[in-house]
Amino acid sequence: MSQSRPLYLGPRLRRLRRELGLTQQAMATDLDISPSYIALLERNQRPVTAELLIRLARTYQLDMAELATEDADNYAKRIAEVMRDPLLEGIDLPALEIADLATSFPGVAEAILRLHGAYAREQQILADRRLGAAAAEGGTPDPVRAVQEFFSNNRNHFPTLDSRAEELAVEIAEHGAAAEWLRKRKGVRVRFMPPEVMVESVRRYDRHNDQVLIDDSLDTSARKFQLALHIAWTTMRDEIVQLARAADLPDKSAVALARRNLAAYAAAALVMPYDRFLRAAESRGYDVAALGGVFGASFEQVAHRLTTLARPGHEGIPFFMVRLDAAGNVSKLLDGAGFPYAPHGGSCPLWRVHDTFRTPGQLVTQWLELPDGRRFFTLARTVGGEPRHFGAAAVVRSVALVCAADQADKLAYARGIDPAAVTATPIGVNCGLCQRADCEARAVPPRGRDLLADDQRRSVAPFMFADR
């Protein structure tokens, strides 16, 4: 902050006062100034002096450097991002005017940001309107969506399962292998059987003979995971059931699905214990293939585990993960990176996650930019494709991981690349929610925009909008 530049902290001061539960009179008494002066400061009609800044920091035991950070700069940056929304295309608001708005009219700036935030949320809700209509008509709730929201609300992190899994992983390592631990500690044998014996199951517990039967046509990582699932169910059942019951899910189907997903979480935590996995991820630049080799896990298992690293004070890079098929149907969705994704209506065709089906098994990377200016880095590849045995279906899906662009330099895939300098692909959430007017890949017009009726001209983009 320049010494000659006045410091205005109106909204920040008002927010601080409300957080402390103080009236203007009470704060004025604490700071030995008049209530009218507090009112002027909060309306940005008076700058904060150096003496008052020190008094604020001492009185309320605040970090002065943090307190002195100007709200105006933050507002100006955020409003500039809002103005990049294609919906506001054609409105000329120079940077100087944005800065003046943020400094002189912080209340108006805050109102603009709140309104745009509400607009963005409503657009997302529109993507789910089909579910809302079904519920209004007496339709059954969507258990998959309900469980996705449950995991999202918990940031896909369940510390009780992670802690218990770490303890169990140590015990299992002392016995050399999971099968040996089961035999010695639980009296349960592990047997690998041909598909015709398994009768359309990949894992089955034979209670009569105390044995776990696993399809012998599964690859090594799948066998390991199925064995971990059995251990998770039998040793962490109470924790899993308690978490599912506390989730406030709409019906029994959702509760059952939540229990299954929580068991899968616990199994992954057994195969890839939190602390050891995070250390390996950081040391290897989040290289998914390399981590798979270290822990004997598949690409999808590692990708899924990377979305769970949210232990307070010991977090990994926040990732978003999606698994979809060639038709665009989503079968797994885990959001830890704040990446907007509409579960219905398809994703953006410019996102290269869809290209992976043309190059099976090859890793595809891409830099993305959303209409609001946020940037992300993504990597994707297909999983599956090899039938377990002759006559079995070959199921191919694509798995994509996404992180914020400013975190990408920690990844082996993007080391040495400046996210601000790289050319990013402009994408939207999906066509119905994207306001970019000049997109040639658009399938449908965005909701809420009137089409331009012009029979004498055909634009490069599929649609022209009347309010451009």
Side-chain angles (χ1 to χ4, degrees):
M1 181 183 66
S2 172
Q3 291 181 340
S4 62
R5 181 181 175 185
L7 178 64
Y8 293 92
L9 299 177
R12 185 179 294 263
L13 186 62
R14 182 169 58 251
R15 189 163 58 246
L16 171 65
R17 179 174 60 79
R18 290 174 177 173
E19 288 173 356
L20 294 171
L22 300 174
T23 62
Q24 289 183 342
Q25 176 67 58
M27 177 170 273
T29 301
D30 288 345
L31 300 175
D32 196 23
I33 57 179
S34 69
S36 60
Y37 188 43
I38 289 286
L40 291 171
L41 289 168
E42 290 188 356
R43 292 198 296 270
N44 268 3
Q45 293 178 351
R46 292 289 187 278
V48 176
T49 64
E51 180 186 353
L52 183 57
L53 187 64
I54 294 172
R55 202 180 302 175
L56 274 165
R58 287 178 176 172
T59 302
Y60 300 116
Q61 299 187 4
L62 304 170
D63 183 341
M64 191 161 64
E66 182 179 348
L67 185 63
T69 302
E70 295 188 68
D71 273 333
D73 291 340
N74 182 41
Y75 278 146
K77 180 180 177 182
R78 291 169 62 194
I79 290 175
E81 291 175 353
V82 167
M83 294 307 299
R84 295 177 66 183
D85 191 317
L87 181 66
L88 305 177
E89 183 181 7
I91 298 177
D92 183 19
L93 193 61
L96 189 61
E97 291 187 21
I98 291 176
D100 187 44
L101 171 66
T103 301
S104 304
F105 306 100
V108 176
E110 179 66 22
I112 291 171
L113 293 171
R114 289 189 188 183
L115 285 170
H116 186 267
Y119 157 76
R121 288 190 294 273
E122 287 300 317
Q123 288 291 294
Q124 185 66 52
I125 290 171
L126 280 174
D128 298 332
R129 71 193 189 287
R130 184 172 66 183
L131 293 179
E137 294 169 3
T140 57
D142 182 350
V144 173
R145 182 64 176 159
V147 172
Q148 285 176 349
E149 289 177 354
F150 163 58
F151 272 74
S152 177
N153 292 339
N154 285 276
R155 298 182 62 202
N156 196 31
H157 178 65
F158 299 93
T160 56
L161 299 183
D162 271 313
S163 298
R164 181 71 180 115
E166 284 182 303
E167 296 171 359
L168 279 171
V170 172
E171 288 185 28
I172 291 170
E174 291 172 352
H175 289 81
E180 189 65 12
W181 180 86
L182 273 173
R183 185 180 68 82
K184 290 183 177 179
R185 295 295 303 273
K186 303 293 183 180
V188 174
R189 285 192 306 160
V190 177
R191 298 182 65 191
F192 298 96
M193 309 297 290
E196 58 268 21
V197 175
M198 294 301 297
V199 193
E200 298 184 356
S201 299
V202 293
R203 185 192 81 253
R204 180 163 57 88
Y205 178 49
D206 180 358
R207 296 179 183 275
H208 180 71
N209 295 302
D210 277 334
Q211 57 185 4
V212 178
L213 308 178
I214 296 177
D215 188 333
D216 65 5
S217 65
L218 296 176
D219 63 26
T220 303
S221 62
R223 290 185 182 193
K224 187 175 184 178
F225 190 77
Q226 289 301 322
L227 198 51
L229 266 172
H230 175 79
I231 294 174
W233 270 123
T234 55
T235 58
M236 290 182 262
R237 179 179 293 274
D238 289 345
E239 291 93 335
I240 291 169
V241 169
Q242 184 176 0
L243 284 167
R245 284 177 177 170
D248 192 27
L249 294 165
D251 56 23
K252 292 181 179 179
S253 295
V255 172
L257 184 58
R259 290 207 324 262
R260 189 182 78 174
N261 289 359
L262 288 166
Y265 180 103
L270 275 172
V271 174
M272 296 165 276
Y274 194 101
D275 281 334
R276 191 154 62 91
F277 182 76
L278 178 57
R279 287 197 302 271
E282 291 176 337
S283 67
R284 294 169 184 266
Y286 293 83
D287 185 329
V288 179
L291 291 171
V294 171
F295 292 94
S298 68
F299 183 93
E300 181 180 339
Q301 290 165 2
V302 172
H304 190 155
R305 185 60 170 150
L306 285 172
T307 69
T308 69
L309 304 179
R311 180 178 288 174
H314 200 40
E315 299 95 341
I317 292 177
F319 281 102
F320 167 92
M321 174 191 168
V322 66
R323 184 183 69 187
L324 47 80
D325 61 24
N329 299 304
V330 175
S331 53
K332 186 178 288 187
L333 183 64
L334 300 160
D335 186 14
F339 182 70
Y341 190 91
H344 304 287
S347 58
C348 180
L350 298 178
W351 185 16
R352 293 192 63 196
V353 63
H354 307 287
D355 295 348
T356 58
F357 294 101
R358 294 199 291 268
T359 55
Q362 294 184 24
L363 192 73
V364 173
T365 62
Q366 187 180 22
W367 296 87
L368 307 173
E369 182 173 308
L370 292 170
D372 60 9
R374 285 183 295 162
R375 287 190 163 206
F376 293 88
F377 177 77
T378 179
L379 57 109
R381 56 156 281 191
T382 57
V383 296
E386 291 292 330
R388 290 185 293 110
H389 55 82
F390 180 75
V395 180
V396 183
R397 297 187 179 97
S398 185
V399 169
L401 279 173
V402 184
C403 73
D406 59 7
Q407 298 276 354
D409 62 340
K410 299 175 185 176
L411 307 184
Y413 313 97
R415 281 196 182 124
I417 300 175
D418 181 3
V422 74
T423 300
T425 303
I427 69 164
V429 178
N430 65 24
C431 291
L433 299 178
C434 179
Q435 297 291 338
R436 297 186 191 275
D438 56 353
C439 179
E440 296 182 40
R442 178 179 293 284
V444 297
R447 301 183 186 102
R449 298 287 291 272
D450 293 328
L451 297 183
L452 178 64
D454 188 343
D455 298 331
Q456 307 304 317
R457 184 166 71 96
R458 172 66 164 83
S459 65
V460 175
F463 305 96
M464 294 186 294
F465 306 122
D467 54 347
R468 279 194 64 175

